[in-house]
Amino acid sequence: MTAVNPKWLLVDVYIDIASSKTGSSRKEFNRMLNDCKSSNIEIILSKNISRFGRDTVEVLEALNQLKVLGVPVIFDQEALNTADIDDELMISIIESITQAENKSRGDNIKWGIKQRAAQGTSKLYNRKCYGYFNDADGNLAIDEKEAKNVRLIFNLYLQGKSVLGIVKELERLGIKSPTERLHGPREQLT
């Protein structure tokens, strides 16, 4: 981020992970707002508006809450600091444009996936994944010695573990990813 200040102290990183299919309860986002209410946070840095909220209404509601609490938000990509601007219109316009771009991008990605699948050129199954290998014909085949990892992940999922919970359990057990790296926080940040 360009908004770096050596006098600032990083309190925490708040990341909600959800697919567009499942949505999200925004647990981390709500935790961040609660930390602001508890006066644990004095300023919030966000890469951009679209990472801050899912839609214009959510962004504006959160910004209004934070304004009342006296917690400014800096959006790096848009070069906006809510402490310097009092113009909700600007933020709502940018958020609306971003929301429309994200929907268009998502529609284009879905269309591309469908087209490649219909043409038989999809690379979806060409990546390395747990418990499988590519046979002589290039098809996925079960690798019995790694299949136990697939079963473990599936069972952890059925137990209600989140993606991060599963990754932490795999790391605890010393199980490497398909790229032969341990599942640690560093891998997730790269």
Side-chain angles (χ1 to χ4, degrees):
M1 292 193 127
T2 58
V4 176
N5 185 326
K7 295 180 182 178
W8 289 349
L9 175 65
L10 177 65
V11 174
D12 209 336
V13 177
Y14 304 86
I15 301 172
D16 283 310
I17 299 175
S19 73
S20 59
K21 292 179 185 176
T22 61
S24 169
S25 61
R26 305 289 318 260
K27 290 178 185 174
E28 288 294 294
F29 185 80
N30 291 326
R31 186 171 69 86
M32 177 189 70
L33 292 177
N34 287 333
D35 283 352
C36 290
K37 289 173 189 170
S38 300
S39 301
N40 294 335
I41 298 176
E42 295 176 7
I43 190 166
I44 296 172
L45 304 175
S46 181
K47 178 181 176 184
N48 55 39
I49 293 174
S50 67
R51 296 277 176 103
F52 186 75
R54 294 177 289 198
D55 56 43
T56 305
V57 173
E58 182 181 67
V59 169
L60 293 178
E61 285 176 358
L63 290 177
N64 284 332
Q65 284 182 38
L66 294 168
K67 186 176 186 180
V68 169
L69 295 170
V71 178
V73 181
I74 296 175
F75 298 105
D76 189 53
Q77 194 169 6
E78 294 87 357
L80 290 175
N81 181 340
T82 61
D84 296 338
I85 62 169
D86 211 15
D87 191 1
E88 289 182 9
L89 178 62
M90 176 65 84
I91 291 174
S92 64
I93 290 170
I94 292 171
E95 172 56 24
S96 296
I97 291 169
T98 302
Q99 192 174 336
E101 286 175 349
N102 286 343
K103 183 180 179 339
S104 174
R105 187 178 305 116
D107 290 345
N108 288 340
I109 290 169
K110 288 176 193 172
W111 181 84
I113 290 170
K114 286 179 183 177
Q115 288 299 106
R116 286 187 296 279
Q119 295 168 357
T121 59
S122 175
K123 302 291 184 199
L124 187 60
Y125 299 108
N126 286 349
R127 64 181 190 194
K128 177 84 171 114
C129 56
Y130 280 123
Y132 297 91
F133 67 94
N134 291 93
D135 66 13
D137 297 325
N139 298 315
L140 283 180
I142 295 174
D143 180 345
E144 288 301 330
K145 65 183 179 187
E146 289 183 2
K148 65 180 190 252
N149 293 337
V150 175
R151 291 183 192 97
L152 172 64
I153 292 168
F154 185 73
N155 287 327
L156 291 170
Y157 174 77
L158 290 178
Q159 293 170 20
K161 294 267 189 197
S162 66
V163 172
L164 288 177
I166 292 170
V167 168
K168 286 179 182 178
E169 182 64 15
L170 294 174
E171 180 184 34
R172 187 185 72 75
L173 296 171
I175 297 172
K176 294 184 177 184
S177 72
T179 57
E180 298 298 320
R181 292 165 47 188
L182 282 175
H183 297 275
R186 287 183 194 99
E187 180 176 346
Q188 302 225 340
L189 297 175
T190 57

